[in-house]
Amino acid sequence: MNKIIYIILVAALMMQSSCKKILEKELPEHELAAEVAIVDEKSASVALNGAYSYLQYNYTPPLYASISPTFTTGFSYDYAVNGAQMAGLLKGGQRFTFDVSLSTFSVVSSDNIIPNFYRLVYRIVNAANNVIFYTEKIPADKIGTEKRAEIIAEAKFLRAFGHLWALKYYGYFWDNESTYGPVLRLEPTSINNLLTSRSTVKATYEQILADYQYCVENGPKTHSTVYRTCRSTAKAFKAEALMMRGLATDYSEALRLANEVISGTEFKMESSFANVFLPSNDYLPNTELLFSRFINAQTIASTIANPLTQSPYGVFSYAVGNAASVYSESENTYYSSLIRADARYPYTWAEDTFTSGNPPVTKTGVSFRKVFRFNGNCPSYIMRLAQLYLIKAEALAQTGALAAEVLAPLNFLRDRSGNKLLNAVDYGSKGKQFEAIVNEYVLELGVENASEWFAMARLKDEAGNRFITRFNSSFLSDWQLCLPIPQDEVAANKGVVIQNPNY
């Protein structure tokens, strides 16, 4: 992260030199010095768009002016795949050693794949902080009061989003009393705050929830696009964060928020599970998809031209890749026994035939049907309405509701996907209810946004074991629930940032 900060600071200095025009050409607008760029409502909106763009791009500035920046569709699958690998849902992968180490809980802090993921969330956080800080300073005659609050609310949503992902993968998210939270950054990065120690998990959750709540109160009032947040979307993400924290008082609040989103007019469930993933429904507003990320034509064209690149197009279909580098269903596992017996299976994994290359070669293989698209415009399901039904069921179970009440949201999802309904008689204990909830996370949301991984991490069976042990026998101890912080980050921060235990 300090490398990214260094680049931004150098960029600000270079703007004052004769290299300004070259820099403006090479760096996206939101990377320029924020105190110069954010001066009125229009420029604040542009900067906010830049913060959202990090959901689309993992931006790597070129080392030299003649080299183009590289882009990968980071939140299209990387974060979802990491969780699915640890959850025991996938095999294979283009990242080879890293993918194997994820599935066996043997990732090392020096792995060169980790830094990109780690820095991506902090790029979002840093961009959001710039928007918040400088939008607050815009003179009243340059921006309306309501618009100022709205822009800041969206930026705070993104800051919470980034911090939550940092906590999910690099912190002790399951232990509210732990000192192993992420580095919390609440203001633009400067030389004065460059070296910042890790926050506690408690303080991290409090800040995330406060940022989401600000968006609930001040964000856009209506949903207009899946690429931006609104008040209802913020409610959904706040409900997720409450379930992650899991304090006694969190469940009733999460239940209230889930009910408000479900009963609201902003989003509606598709009539069938299959319809969720119809290409004609991709990215449509006011449907089941609450939040996604935009892919521009340049990225799509590049993906199709280079089908083996690290993107959903290249790594979720044997038809465009090869067996060694493509993700596929983890066979002969607990996941396999669940998904193959479920009516959602043919809409999750299915065979495709595709012709590509020069000369053209026709290949047939199993693709991950949820996200693979022949046109390269592979969707990302960062949050969809179905997750609120699962949050509702989990919150009901945690607050001691009757089995029939707990199962009702699960049976709603099972009914629309053509599956047999669950009988309350078989789920009288909380442990059995948790089992049903975890299974539905896996079957309904598997490999979409890692929510299945975090559900099986936080919930335990009747014997007190985390449900991970049922899906991935390599899981042995709680310290494996998080990844190591990149070793070069620890080293560069000169002992200020402490590595997670056992790494």
Side-chain angles (χ1 to χ4, degrees), residues 118-143:
Y118 184 81
R119 289 163 188 157
L120 176 57
V121 293
Y122 281 104
R123 289 186 178 106
I124 297 171
V125 168
N126 287 334
N129 277 332
N130 277 331
V131 174
I132 295 165
F133 185 83
Y134 292 106
T135 300
E136 288 176 341
K137 292 180 175 297
I138 297 174
D141 62 339
K142 299 290 186 181
I143 189 171

Side-chain angles (χ1 to χ4, degrees), residues 261-323:
V261 178
I262 289 170
S263 62
T265 60
E266 300 283 87
F267 308 100
K268 63 180 181 181
M269 296 288 285
E270 293 292 343
S271 59
S272 70
F273 180 80
N275 285 351
V276 176
F277 309 104
L278 287 175
S280 59
N281 285 335
D282 288 347
Y283 308 112
L284 294 180
N286 302 114
T287 57
E288 187 166 330
L289 183 59
L290 276 70
F291 193 56
S292 187
R293 56 88 189 91
F294 174 76
I295 312 181
N296 67 13
Q298 173 192 356
T299 302
I300 294 171
S302 176
T303 296
I304 294 176
N306 302 281
L308 298 183
T309 57
Q310 193 167 305
S311 72
Y313 182 81
V315 301
F316 271 136
S317 174
Y318 282 125
V320 297
N322 59 73

Side-chain angles (χ1 to χ4, degrees), residues 75-77 283 289 291-293 371 378-383 448:
F75 267 95
S76 63
Y77 83 98
Y283 308 112
L289 183 59
F291 193 56
S292 187
R293 56 88 189 91
V371 305
C378 302
S380 174
Y381 306 99
I382 298 176
M383 174 76 79
E448 290 185 31

Side-chain angles (χ1 to χ4, degrees), residues 174-186:
W174 66 94
D175 182 3
N176 196 56
E177 301 305 314
S178 174
T179 58
Y180 295 109
V183 174
L184 268 184
R185 293 201 172 272
L186 303 177

Side-chain angles (χ1 to χ4, degrees), residues 21-34:
K21 290 184 179 180
I22 297 176
L23 184 64
E24 288 176 340
K25 180 179 179 181
E26 293 296 329
L27 292 177
E29 193 165 357
H30 58 282
E31 287 276 25
L32 302 178

Side-chain angles (χ1 to χ4, degrees), residues 27-320:
L27 292 177
E29 193 165 357
H30 58 282
E31 287 276 25
L32 302 178
E35 64 270 27
V36 175
I38 303 176
V39 295
D40 54 20
E41 181 178 318
K42 181 179 179 181
S43 57
S45 296
V46 169
L48 179 62
N49 289 338
Y52 275 109
S53 77
Y54 283 123
L55 293 171
Q56 172 192 354
Y57 291 145
N58 179 4
Y59 178 79
T60 304
L63 296 176
Y64 307 99
S66 61
I67 302 177
S68 299
T70 59
F71 302 93
T72 60
T73 48
F75 267 95
S76 63
Y77 83 98
D78 283 337
Y79 274 79
V81 162
N82 291 349
Q85 284 279 29
M86 292 187 285
L89 272 58
L90 297 178
K91 69 175 182 179
Q94 195 179 53
R95 303 172 304 180
F96 302 109
T97 302
F98 182 65
D99 280 310
V100 172
S101 61
L102 279 172
S103 62
T104 57
F105 299 101
S106 57
V107 177
V108 295
S109 61
S110 59
D111 194 300
N112 63 4
I113 298 291
I114 298 178
N116 289 335
F117 300 138
Y118 184 81
R119 289 163 188 157
L120 176 57
V121 293
Y122 281 104
R123 289 186 178 106
I124 297 171
V125 168
N126 287 334
N129 277 332
N130 277 331
V131 174
I132 295 165
F133 185 83
Y134 292 106
T135 300
E136 288 176 341
K137 292 180 175 297
I138 297 174
D141 62 339
K142 299 290 186 181
I143 189 171
T145 301
E146 185 174 346
K147 189 63 177 179
R148 185 198 305 270
E150 185 178 287
I151 289 174
I152 292 172
E154 290 190 71
K156 286 192 174 185
F157 171 89
L158 289 172
R159 182 169 71 182
F161 179 90
H163 279 144
L164 184 58
W165 277 105
L167 175 59
K168 280 177 173 180
Y169 275 134
Y170 306 102
Y172 274 38
F173 62 85
W174 66 94
D175 182 3
N176 196 56
E177 301 305 314
S178 174
T179 58
Y180 295 109
V183 174
L184 268 184
R185 293 201 172 272
L186 303 177
E187 57 186 19
T189 305
S190 67
I191 295 297
N192 294 329
N193 62 23
L194 186 61
L195 300 181
T196 302
S197 60
R198 298 176 68 168
S199 172
T200 64
V201 173
K202 179 181 179 181
T204 302
Y205 273 123
E206 288 174 350
Q207 184 61 52
I208 289 168
L209 292 168
D211 279 348
Y212 278 147
Q213 182 59 31
Y214 188 91
C215 191
V216 168
E217 296 173 359
N218 300 283
K221 296 177 182 177
T222 58
H223 168 80
S224 59
T225 173
V226 297
Y227 308 128
R228 300 285 287 264
T229 190
C230 68
R231 296 185 183 190
S232 293
T233 306
K235 287 180 181 180
F237 279 88
K238 184 181 179 185
E240 179 198 29
L242 287 165
M243 298 308 296
M244 290 287 298
R245 185 171 69 169
L247 300 183
T249 56
D250 289 340
Y251 300 120
S252 58
E253 174 68 1
L255 179 59
R256 180 185 68 81
L257 291 169
N259 279 330
E260 287 181 6
V261 178
I262 289 170
S263 62
T265 60
E266 300 283 87
F267 308 100
K268 63 180 181 181
M269 296 288 285
E270 293 292 343
S271 59
S272 70
F273 180 80
N275 285 351
V276 176
F277 309 104
L278 287 175
S280 59
N281 285 335
D282 288 347
Y283 308 112
L284 294 180
N286 302 114
T287 57
E288 187 166 330
L289 183 59
L290 276 70
F291 193 56
S292 187
R293 56 88 189 91
F294 174 76
I295 312 181
N296 67 13
Q298 173 192 356
T299 302
I300 294 171
S302 176
T303 296
I304 294 176
N306 302 281
L308 298 183
T309 57
Q310 193 167 305
S311 72
Y313 182 81
V315 301
F316 271 136
S317 174
Y318 282 125
V320 297

Side-chain angles (χ1 to χ4, degrees), residues 386-440:
Q387 188 167 340
L388 276 297
Y389 282 83
L390 294 167
I391 288 173
K392 179 177 180 177
E394 187 178 345
L396 285 167
Q398 293 283 16
T399 52
L402 296 174
E405 294 179 283
V406 174
L407 297 180
L410 305 183
N411 279 333
F412 173 81
L413 296 175
R414 293 181 66 81
D415 181 59
R416 75 145 184 182
S417 60
N419 281 286
K420 182 181 178 181
L421 302 188
L422 305 177
N423 192 325
V425 175
D426 301 322
Y427 296 90
S429 70
K430 187 173 287 189
K432 294 296 289 184
Q433 292 167 15
F434 288 161
E435 178 182 2
I437 290 165
V438 169
N439 287 349
E440 286 304 308

